[in-house]
Amino acid sequence: MKKYELIADLYDFVAPYRARPDIDFYVDAAKGANGPVLEVGCGTGRVLIPTARAGVDIVGLDLSPDMLGVCRQRLESEPAAVQSRAQLVQADMREFNPSKTFKLVTIPFRPFQHLMTVADQLACLASIRRHLPDDGLLIFDLFNPSLDALVNGPLGEELELEPEFSTPDERRVVRRDKAVSRDRFNQVNQHELLYYVTYPDGREERLVQAFALRYLFRFEAEHLLARAGFEVEHLYGGFDKSAYGSKYPGELIFVARKRAPC
Ligand SMILES: C[S@@+](CC[C@H](N)C(=O)[O-])C[C@H]1O[C@@H](n2cnc3c(N)ncnc32)[C@H](O)[C@@H]1O
């Protein structure tokens, strides 16, 4: 998993990631699950660690050893009780076997959009389904595709959309976002996130995180879930549980219950 190796130690300091208003939403869902939670694509523990702090047993699964390494390091500075509630597994979300079941599986902040094909999406949902009891819940979020951005968004330009940030070891980082291409037939956007890093001794470095994101439209995702054996119970447009469609483009947040496949 090369997508995150260069920037794993910067991830937790990126301003829009720090400001992302989803943590209470996922922690509340985890507390309400009354049982262990599996977080798929847990990354550096942005959501996993607050969940373990809230008293919930949680397994975090991620493909990237670098993201998991940061998460492990962060957990080491948590109290023993928090550490004992969190377990990390390196695995691919398309095929995994943590060998137990969970009341709730979550996929916060769009890891599902790293899956490029319907076959991969169904494989992931099948793996998740195997790890849920009969009425278990799956909660995940996607970005709601903005038609305006798809049609009019600039290509090939480095856009500086957020404030500079710094790390505890005093690197200063400016991050720019470049949309490289939009494949509107396969619904895949190629992106580059460019990290311009200045070290305390003045040395400069440019890191390029290149990745593809597959977008899904609302009804497409609903059909996919039905086909994979899930029934949508709630569809939200924001982490404040506002209704889907109450803001545009907003988020596309699914709360889905395991059911018999259609
Ligand atoms: C945007 S980050 C989200 C991390 C975390 N959930 C959060 O909310 O901050 C996406 C994560 O998905 C993981 N990921 C991408 N493809 C994956 C796959 N096939 N299997 C497991 N994890 C994957 C990446 O390694 C990365 O940590």
Side-chain angles (χ1 to χ4, degrees), residues 64-183:
S64 163
D66 303 279
M67 296 293 268
L68 287 174
V70 173
C71 187
R72 207 164 277 123
Q73 211 173 6
R74 287 184 61 193
L75 276 168
E76 278 166 15
S77 56
E78 291 292 321
V82 174
Q83 292 188 35
S84 72
R85 287 194 282 271
Q87 198 191 322
L88 302 180
V89 178
Q90 189 191 344
D92 192 314
M93 68 172 111
R94 290 167 290 187
E95 179 59 57
F96 58 89
N97 280 303
S99 72
K100 65 183 213 185
T101 55
F102 301 88
K103 290 283 201 176
L104 168 68
V105 178
T106 61
I107 325 177
F109 200 8
R110 310 169 183 167
F112 195 75
Q113 295 188 250
H114 285 303
L115 301 175
M116 292 298 118
T117 64
V118 171
D120 283 350
Q121 293 165 345
L122 287 172
C124 173
L125 292 172
S127 284
I128 289 171
R129 201 170 178 281
R130 280 198 300 277
H131 292 86
L132 284 170
D134 275 351
D135 61 348
L137 270 188
L138 165 64
I139 305 184
F140 66 106
D141 60 272
L142 311 171
F143 67 75
N144 191 38
S146 153
L147 293 179
D148 179 49
L150 285 174
V151 175
N152 300 317
L155 280 180
E157 282 176 39
E158 288 188 23
L159 304 175
E160 198 172 317
L161 303 169
E162 54 197 59
E164 177 183 300
F165 64 91
S166 55
T167 58
D169 61 1
E170 296 181 3
R171 281 171 288 171
R172 286 182 292 110
V173 185
V174 172
R175 193 174 81 145
R176 301 200 178 112
D177 186 350
K178 181 162 99 178
V180 175
S181 63
R182 286 192 199 91
D183 178 345

